[in-house]
Amino acid sequence: MGVSANIRQYIIVISVNLTSIGMGMSQSWTSPMLVKLMHEDTQLSERVNEDQASWIVSIGFLSSIAFFPVVYCLVNLYGRKTVMLYLNIFRATVNLLFIFATEVWMLYLVRGVTGTCEIGILSIMPAYSAEIASKQIRGALGTIAQLLNAVGMLIILSLGPYASYLMVNIVYVTTVAVMVVPMFFVPDSPYCMVKKGRMNEALKTLTYLRDSELLAQEEIKEMSCVSGTKITSKTIKDIAFLKSMGIAVFLSIGIQLVGYSSITLYLQTILEVTNTSVSSELVSVIFGVMQVIACFVTAILSDRAGRKPILAITLGGLAIGMLGLGLFFYMKDSGVKINGFMNYLPLVSLVIVVLSYNAGIGSLCVVLIAELFENLTRSIGISVCMTITMIVGFLNVKYFPLLTEILGSATVFWSFAIICLIYMTFVLFCVPETKQKSFLEIQGVLGRK
């Protein structure tokens, strides 16, 4: 396979994943905007309180939970590209409400609908990228979504603290709309073509992507082994599927339980509470830059070092960062005077957390989940995992402020550290290495005969 084929794969996957920039902006929107909504006069008729703020943060998780079965059915009917395209168009249209909202309920509505569309897209995009990519660069292509997500977060974290509430929303809405355009010009997933009997189109697309008709025919033959069948009780009871689902579900829960989402969504609020000499606006920008750097490094290393070593090392780093945050809040809550190095401990700890999450579980978990399932079960596997992630994510971000109030910030962050160590152990002993393996080879490792 030539360099030109790899470039074509990169262009197509990047074109589809550009929408992740908007998702990153949406994800980090609450960090600077909650400070404005709670403490400044905006276009809303009144300032929001803490309970309203927690709903603004979490409602997207809650509203998306029931949407996954719908996405699964739509993908089976119309294909991955078509469903992603229409979800993106609908999301871009609804986002206009950010500019004109004057009441809190309007923010609930737009955050809920936007979150539902984004989660629907996220349940499709990893499978699309995995099916476009060749096994030699599948890891790098799979991490592009998180890299572009980090770019979107950097835009909001850099702009949000300094621009007006209205200006931030205009930039966000415009970016989301523009990022939809490239998706019109990419092909559908080859697997979806094969599944619908469009063999000539699938062969033409794969030949273009692989620069070899022979390789394209081999992949179509592999896809055809399962594309003509339906998911049955035998499929569900298969040992390889059960192992895939068990590993994927546990990793999906871990994406939320390691605590990164809570820190991201309440970042500026957390930094305001520390009352240190470190500017919360400056830390937000550093936070965004570190995310981009970490994702870029993982994109380079994932197909060389392998998924397991990167995940294990970065989960250990996450634990260290959470321990540092817990120590800082323990000393602060104990009345110890914060000075010297301790004044910068939250910044150092946050940098470690950001680098570790985005270089590890944040970038590779979705890639790994998409690789663990065969073509037939990939859509339903990712949908189940995303549903569970959203349920845990909703509970996590909705009640994070309450838990910190009841248990104390130190206990919460130390709990995150323990969870990170549990997941590091799980990765080392239970997760198979998928680097440079075809989907059939991965299924063989999982026990399929």
Side-chain angles (χ1 to χ4, degrees):
M1 188 182 303
V3 175
S4 59
N6 289 347
I7 292 174
R8 291 176 199 137
Q9 293 174 48
Y10 271 102
I11 290 173
I12 290 173
V13 172
I14 289 173
S15 297
V16 170
N17 282 273
L18 280 173
T19 186
S20 295
I21 295 177
M23 293 184 193
M25 295 176 77
S26 175
Q27 185 179 346
S28 59
W29 182 90
T30 55
S31 178
M33 292 299 101
L34 284 184
V35 174
K36 296 180 186 295
L37 290 169
M38 295 175 72
H39 305 295
E40 300 176 10
D41 291 328
T42 63
Q43 65 198 49
L44 266 65
S45 60
E46 59 182 7
R47 296 181 182 182
V48 304
N49 56 42
E50 289 189 7
D51 183 62
Q52 289 171 327
S54 70
W55 277 108
I56 291 172
V57 170
S58 61
I59 195 167
F61 289 94
L62 183 62
S63 62
S64 64
I65 291 172
F67 191 56
F68 287 106
V70 178
V71 173
Y72 175 70
C73 293
L74 289 174
V75 169
N76 282 336
L77 287 173
Y78 302 109
R80 305 198 197 286
K81 175 200 167 178
T82 302
V83 177
M84 281 195 294
L85 180 60
Y86 281 107
L87 285 174
N88 272 297
I89 293 171
F90 185 61
R91 176 177 67 128
T93 304
V94 172
N95 273 344
L96 290 170
L97 193 57
F98 270 117
I99 298 175
F100 302 105
T102 57
E103 301 293 337
V104 175
W105 69 263
M106 295 180 180
L107 289 184
Y108 292 162
L109 175 63
V110 67
R111 289 282 295 177
V113 173
T114 298
T116 300
C117 290
E118 289 178 347
I119 297 306
I121 296 164
L122 280 174
S123 69
I124 303 170
M125 206 153 49
Y128 180 90
S129 298
E131 290 162 5
I132 288 290
S134 58
K135 65 180 182 181
Q136 290 81 8
I137 58 172
R138 194 171 57 228
L141 290 178
T143 60
I144 286 174
Q146 183 65 15
L147 173 60
L148 295 176
N149 183 278
V151 171
M153 294 185 72
L154 176 59
I155 293 171
I156 288 294
L157 294 174
S158 301
L159 179 67
Y162 306 104
S164 68
Y165 175 81
L166 180 60
M167 180 56 65
V168 173
N169 285 330
I170 291 173
V171 172
Y172 166 56
V173 170
T174 303
T175 303
V176 170
V178 171
M179 292 301 114
V180 177
V181 176
M183 195 174 290
F184 281 93
F185 305 101
V186 301
D188 199 355
S189 156
Y191 171 69
C192 290
M193 295 178 190
V194 172
K195 188 174 183 180
K196 292 184 177 299
R198 293 151 51 191
M199 296 298 185
N200 291 335
E201 190 177 349
L203 179 61
K204 182 179 178 181
T205 300
L206 275 173
T207 301
Y208 174 76
L209 292 171
R210 304 293 183 258
D211 235 358
S212 168
E213 186 171 337
L214 180 61
L215 288 175
Q217 289 173 339
E218 289 177 357
E219 287 196 38
I220 288 176
K221 183 179 179 181
E222 180 180 319
M223 294 175 190
S224 300
C225 291
V226 295
S227 62
T229 62
K230 296 182 179 180
I231 295 178
T232 63
S233 59
K234 183 178 179 181
T235 307
I236 301 300
K237 294 176 182 178
D238 184 85
I239 186 65
F241 175 77
L242 293 175
K243 284 184 179 180
S244 298
M245 185 62 78
I247 294 169
V249 165
F250 196 67
L251 289 174
S252 300
I253 295 172
I255 292 175
Q256 298 296 336
L257 287 188
V258 296
Y260 185 79
S261 294
S262 299
I263 290 177
T264 300
L265 295 168
Y266 291 99
L267 175 63
Q268 201 162 338
T269 304
I270 292 172
L271 292 169
E272 295 283 347
V273 170
T274 61
N275 288 324
T276 66
S277 61
V278 183
S279 165
S280 61
E281 291 83 4
L282 174 61
V283 174
S284 293
V285 176
I286 295 173
F287 186 95
V289 172
M290 291 297 103
Q291 285 187 119
V292 174
I293 293 173
C295 293
F296 184 75
V297 170
T298 300
I300 295 172
L301 294 179
S302 60
D303 287 311
R304 300 177 184 179
R307 290 30 157 183
K308 285 185 66 169
I310 295 175
L311 280 171
I313 292 169
T314 53
L315 281 165
L318 262 173
I320 293 171
M322 293 296 182
L323 285 171
L325 286 171
L327 177 60
F328 173 83
F329 279 102
Y330 176 78
M331 296 184 67
K332 183 178 182 297
D333 294 342
S334 299
V336 178
K337 185 177 180 180
I338 305 296
N339 53 36
F341 172 75
M342 290 304 299
N343 195 49
Y344 295 92
L345 182 60
L347 174 59
V348 173
S349 298
L350 279 172
V351 168
I352 294 173
V353 167
V354 171
L355 288 173
S356 298
Y357 180 87
N358 286 280
I361 193 169
S363 294
L364 290 177
C365 194
V366 175
V367 176
L368 188 58
I369 289 171
E371 290 178 324
L372 288 173
F373 294 99
E374 63 173 339
N375 291 323
L376 178 64
T377 58
R378 189 169 296 119
S379 290
I380 192 170
I382 293 176
S383 295
V384 169
C385 290
M386 285 291 181
T387 302
I388 293 171
T389 298
M390 291 306 104
I391 293 172
V392 178
F394 168 74
L395 296 173
N396 191 8
V397 300
K398 178 71 174 74
Y399 296 106
F400 173 74
L402 180 63
L403 284 175
T404 55
E405 183 179 340
I406 295 174
L407 302 176
S409 298
T411 302
V412 173
F413 285 118
W414 284 338
S415 298
F416 288 150
I418 293 171
I419 292 170
C420 289
L421 293 175
I422 291 172
Y423 271 88
M424 182 178 71
T425 305
F426 175 77
V427 167
L428 287 172
F429 294 101
C430 301
V431 176
E433 180 57 74
T434 59
K435 180 189 73 170
Q436 303 288 329
K437 289 186 174 70
S438 69
F439 292 126
L440 281 180
E441 289 171 335
I442 295 170
Q443 291 298 303
V445 172
L446 291 167
R448 172 157 294 168
K449 298 180 180 179

